[in-house]
Each structure stands twice: as structure tokens, then as C-alpha cells.
Amino acid sequence: MQRIQWKRAFDRPFLSPQINTVAPSAVTTPDCLAFNGELIFYIGGVEAGNERIIQMSANHFDLEKPGTDLMPSASVALDTGPSEFDRYHVYDPATIFIDGKIYLFYSAIGKGPDSIGLAISENGREFVKMTSPIIIGRAPEIVRHLGRCYLFYVLRLPGLGYQIYSSISESCFSFQAAPTEPVLGTGPGGSWDEFEVTTPRIFDRNGVFYMTYGGCKSTNRRDMPEAFGLARSTDLIHWEKYPQNPVFSVGDPGQWDDGAIWFGTVFEHGDELNLLYEGGRINDIENNTPALTQVGLAKIGCVEFDKALIEW
């Protein structure tokens, strides 16, 4: 059986923090959006201990080399505050284009519980925030299907790791509170994702939705996924995990991403399915808040991916 496996494009990060840019300390949580003929990257950027969301046009980038030239052109798309619920950090962007506007959902850290905020833009660069959080949770992903908006996010119950939940809205503004059961839960005892599943990202291909998600089996790795799994659905409600998971894992000891990986964002470019992800070394994650991470790139050929699906 041919197995789905993304492979690293380089032995170093695709995007790294750079001094004299809007992300001098770390780059985190990537998302990408096709908008008005452009491909825009929305990414977390850390400066002076605060995380906000930056954006850069990726129209003329070259996926055959690290994207160093992109960082100087990056600008701040969404900053912290002024509301209390997101006064400390905004990150984990999840974007969607609806009726001529970009909706940007994000994790908000401030006073009160971790929550998900929403900002809206007509040009992809200047955003207007909603003044209140959309829902309790973090690590959002947004998909529109048959006229409805499906918001995916993670919650953590006491003594447990994160699990993935979903709420539905007709408008993308008002979502019901989380259901009692996750839409994607942890695996059975002994499995690679038995303790936690987190950071969902969704792409569609040939009429099927695919979710990449982070996971781990050890209780001492809370919010430190060691691999990505893959699940599929035709209705965004019922999900089936790929039997050959995981499909991508942390780097070998000593590599720049040997500590943890998050947010496996997949987009098609040419004849490849490219996977952007946040990753970092174990010391840079455990000893820094926010973690000092970077963005990596992995690839799988479209033909290779589709061929592996035949036996799933």
C-alpha cells in the first residue's frame, strides 16, 4: 500500500524571523488565501514578546528555495487590542473569502478565557475587528460549504489534552456553543494521538474534505504535537482518520523542528500539495513564551497523493 507522506522541501525553515521586519523574534501559525489573483500568507509574528498576525503577498515566491525575500515585505494585518479579550496576543489566523470580503478568525488571548475573534477586510490588508469574541476556544479553521460556515477549533477539558470541535453558522458571525462531543477526538490507547489532537487545517480535493491535525500520545507533550495526522469527510461533520497516520512528523534530533509542529496548512501549487507548518526546537518552545518558532515547508505530488487514496 502506497502511503501518504509529506516530505521536507529543505533542511532549514521556509520562513524565519528577521530583524528590521514585523517578525524579528519568531514566525508562527501559517495560513494562506487565494484572493483577487494573489496568494496571501497570513502568519503569526512575534516582536518584543507579543504575537500578532502579519501578511505578505506570495505571488512571486519560489517554492524551490526558502522564502527569505518575503519577510521584508510583510506588514501587520492584525494587532492586539483594543478590546480586553485580545489585548495580549492575536495569532492562529484562519481566513476565508465570502461575498467580496475576507473573514479572518484568530485566537485571542487577553482577559477572560482563551477565545476566537473575527476581523473583516475588503482588501486583505486592513481589517476591522468585531468588538467581542465569536466563541470560546482557540486554533480556528473556517470552511464554507452549501451556504453554511463551519468553524473548527480546539478545547481542552480538565486533565485532558486538546480535542477538535465544530460549530455551524448561516452567517459566519454567530456560532452556537461547542457541542458536548468533539468532531475529531483522540485515538485509542497506544495510538500516536491518544492524548491530544489539535490545530485542524482543512483543504478540499475532488469533492472530499481533508483535515490535517497535530497529535501526540504523551501527557507531558501538551500543546506540543509531534506529528500530523490526516482525516477525511464529505460533509464536514463525520470524519474518518487515515489508517496509515501520521503523515508528517517532527524533525530528527538537532534539526530546527525537532521539538513540535503545528498548523499543517495545505495548498496546491503546480503539481504539488504544499504543506506550510509551524515548528521549533525543543528548547525554543519550552523556555520561551511565546515559543520561538519558524515556518517550514513540505511537499507531496498531487499524483502521488491521489494514487495513495485508491486503497483508503
Side-chain angles (χ1 to χ4, degrees):
M1 180 177 179
Q2 184 168 343
R3 185 181 176 190
I4 296 172
Q5 279 285 298
W6 270 269
K7 297 181 175 63
R8 285 169 177 77
F10 320 106
D11 59 3
R12 57 194 178 109
F14 177 64
L15 290 174
S16 299
Q18 293 182 32
I19 59 172
N20 299 320
T21 72
V22 291
S25 302
V27 284
T28 71
T29 62
D31 190 34
C32 63
L33 178 72
F35 171 69
N36 284 351
E38 284 188 283
L39 185 65
I40 304 176
F41 289 162
Y42 293 95
I43 295 173
V46 178
E47 181 176 19
N50 290 106
E51 192 165 0
R52 64 265 184 97
I53 295 170
I54 65 175
Q55 66 84 27
M56 61 193 77
S57 173
N59 249 25
H60 304 295
F61 73 117
D62 184 354
L63 285 179
E64 300 307 315
K65 63 180 182 180
T68 306
D69 295 341
L70 290 172
M71 286 304 299
S73 67
S75 61
V76 176
L78 205 68
D79 215 331
T80 54
S83 299
E84 292 295 318
F85 79 94
D86 65 353
R87 66 179 300 182
Y88 300 139
H89 303 287
V90 296
Y91 55 104
D92 301 349
T95 52
I96 191 170
F97 182 66
I98 302 175
D99 297 331
K101 297 180 180 179
I102 294 176
Y103 291 69
L104 191 160
F105 294 82
Y106 62 95
S107 292
I109 308 299
K111 291 189 175 180
D114 296 353
S115 58
I116 293 170
L118 171 63
I120 301 173
S121 173
E122 294 186 355
N123 61 15
R125 289 166 175 80
E126 291 88 27
F127 285 84
V128 177
K129 288 182 178 180
M130 305 293 289
T131 56
S132 300
I134 296 298
I135 202 167
I136 301 301
R138 62 190 300 174
E141 173 66 307
I142 185 71
V143 181
R144 189 167 174 83
H145 178 54
L146 299 178
R148 308 174 83 187
C149 293
Y150 293 75
L151 180 64
F152 296 82
Y153 50 97
V154 302
L155 294 169
R156 188 174 66 199
L157 299 178
L160 301 175
Y162 285 113
Q163 297 189 77
I164 299 169
Y165 291 79
S166 173
S167 295
I168 304 171
S169 171
E170 302 292 335
S171 66
C172 262
F173 287 101
S174 177
F175 290 87
Q176 297 177 348
T180 56
E181 295 296 325
V183 70
L184 193 80
T186 53
S191 62
W192 72 278
D193 59 353
E194 70 170 310
F195 175 66
E196 183 172 76
V197 292
T198 188
T199 64
R201 286 304 205 208
I202 296 172
F203 66 100
D204 64 273
R205 184 164 180 80
N206 300 325
V208 178
F209 295 100
Y210 296 92
M211 176 193 294
T212 60
Y213 64 94
C216 64
K217 66 181 302 181
S218 174
T219 58
N220 64 8
R221 289 190 63 91
R222 178 171 289 163
D223 198 22
M224 292 175 55
E226 56 191 340
F228 291 150
L230 187 70
R232 69 180 177 186
S233 173
T234 56
D235 60 7
L236 294 168
I237 297 172
H238 305 94
W239 291 88
E240 174 193 13
K241 291 182 179 179
Y242 179 52
Q244 297 294 314
N245 278 334
V247 295
F248 188 75
S249 300
V250 295
D252 293 331
Q255 292 188 313
W256 71 271
D257 56 354
D258 67 359
I261 52 176
W262 303 261
F263 291 90
T265 299
V266 175
F267 64 99
E268 186 173 346
H269 185 81
D271 59 357
E272 295 174 313
L273 293 176
N274 296 274
L275 182 143
L276 287 173
Y277 65 98
E278 177 188 10
R281 291 187 172 93
I282 191 70
N283 289 338
D284 292 338
I285 296 168
E286 291 184 329
N287 299 328
N288 295 277
T289 303
L292 299 182
T293 56
Q294 304 181 75
V295 170
L297 177 67
K299 303 181 179 186
I300 187 173
C302 293
V303 172
E304 180 183 352
F305 181 85
D306 293 340
K307 186 178 296 186
L309 294 176
I310 295 174
E311 297 186 46
W312 181 8

